[in-house]
Amino acid sequence: GAVVSQHPSRVICKSGTSVKIECRSLDFQATTMFWYRQFPKQSLMLMATSNEGSKATYEQGVEKDKFLINHASLTLSTLTVTSAHPEDSSFYICSARSTGGPGTNTGELFFGEGSRLTVL
Amino acid sequence: AQTVTQSQPEMSVQEAETVTLSCTYDTSESNYYLFWYKQPPSRQMILVIRQEAYKQQNATENRFSVNFQKAAKSFSLKISDSQLGDTAMYFCAFMTSIYNQGGKLIFGQGTELSVKP
């Protein structure tokens, strides 16, 4: 089956530092990846759409300079939370759309395991 | 803009019984996908069932089935013979057109389902 891996699964950092989260599609190529943020007991809120080789498209209200997204290859997208503050503490989830592979004709997205960020 | 609404924040059901989770959505598109995802305590998103809007037949996956009413923009999930392992947060989701908005997945607020022994 299609597998998406996120790393790290948990990260704790000090306020003011930057943190990078990786999202990898392990057995398929993904031209498009999505980044979500989820607070406890709440829904997934789309932050941005990441397209390989081009700039990410951010949802309204999401700070582009704070949440840097890079999609440099067909199997890797990264989310960097810059100058993190306690309010950035959250669960971040990525998902990927396969290109010509599993789920191509069904619209299915494949999700990573999520990354829990805690900013002290 | 598309919206997805789940009006039941929490539900509970006895083991082996049947439960229905409701979902409504709003869109001006004619072709789209609808999904139900399950999120257990591990937080891993698991696809439960999908429905293509152009298909009139309701999707089924073993104990899971949907009641898709396109005109009413309703997409409910029925879980038959509920099992303890079905305890999780369930999200209804709408996928926008890949060619129009990049195929974004918009989630409802979620319904927390508890299956009681």
Side-chain angles (χ1 to χ4, degrees), chain A residues 4-73:
Chain A
V4 175
S5 177
Q6 272 185 252
H7 178 80
S9 58
R10 292 175 182 268
V11 57
I12 301 173
C13 69
K14 293 182 180 180
S15 186
T17 61
S18 294
V19 174
K20 180 185 286 187
I21 300 170
E22 295 186 345
C23 178
R24 292 181 184 273
S25 56
L26 298 186
D27 52 358
F28 65 96
Q29 294 184 331
T31 54
T32 304
M33 291 184 173
F34 301 90
W35 286 95
Y36 291 87
R37 182 174 183 176
Q38 185 181 30
F39 291 107
K41 299 286 187 179
Q42 293 190 23
S43 186
L44 282 74
M45 293 184 58
L46 181 64
M47 299 174 66
T49 302
S50 171
N51 295 300
E52 186 268 336
S54 63
K55 291 183 179 180
T57 303
Y58 290 82
E59 294 299 303
Q60 191 172 9
V62 177
E63 299 178 61
K64 301 178 183 181
D65 295 332
K66 178 156 203 59
F67 300 101
L68 301 180
I69 291 173
N70 184 281
H71 194 157
S73 77

Side-chain angles (χ1 to χ4, degrees), chain B residues 60-78:
Chain B
T60 61
E61 286 287 341
N62 301 314
R63 297 184 294 108
F64 300 89
S65 62
V66 298
N67 183 1
F68 174 47
Q69 301 290 329
K70 190 173 182 179
K73 295 179 181 173
S74 171
F75 183 62
S76 60
L77 174 70
K78 185 172 79 172

Side-chain angles (χ1 to χ4, degrees), chain A residues 38 41 43 97 107-108 116, chain B residues 39 43 50 95 103 108 112:
Chain A
Q38 185 181 30
K41 299 286 187 179
S43 186
R97 169 171 294 117
E108 183 175 357
R116 182 178 300 284
Chain B
Q39 188 180 43
R43 307 294 289 271
R50 75 170 69 85
M95 179 175 282
E112 189 165 14

Side-chain angles (χ1 to χ4, degrees), chain A residues 83-116:
Chain A
S83 186
H85 288 93
E87 57 265 30
D88 298 323
S89 298
S90 189
F91 192 68
Y92 293 89
I93 307 175
C94 74
S95 66
R97 169 171 294 117
S98 174
T99 304
T104 299
N105 297 321
T106 61
E108 183 175 357
L109 295 180
F110 302 96
F111 284 83
E113 315 96 315
S115 300
R116 182 178 300 284

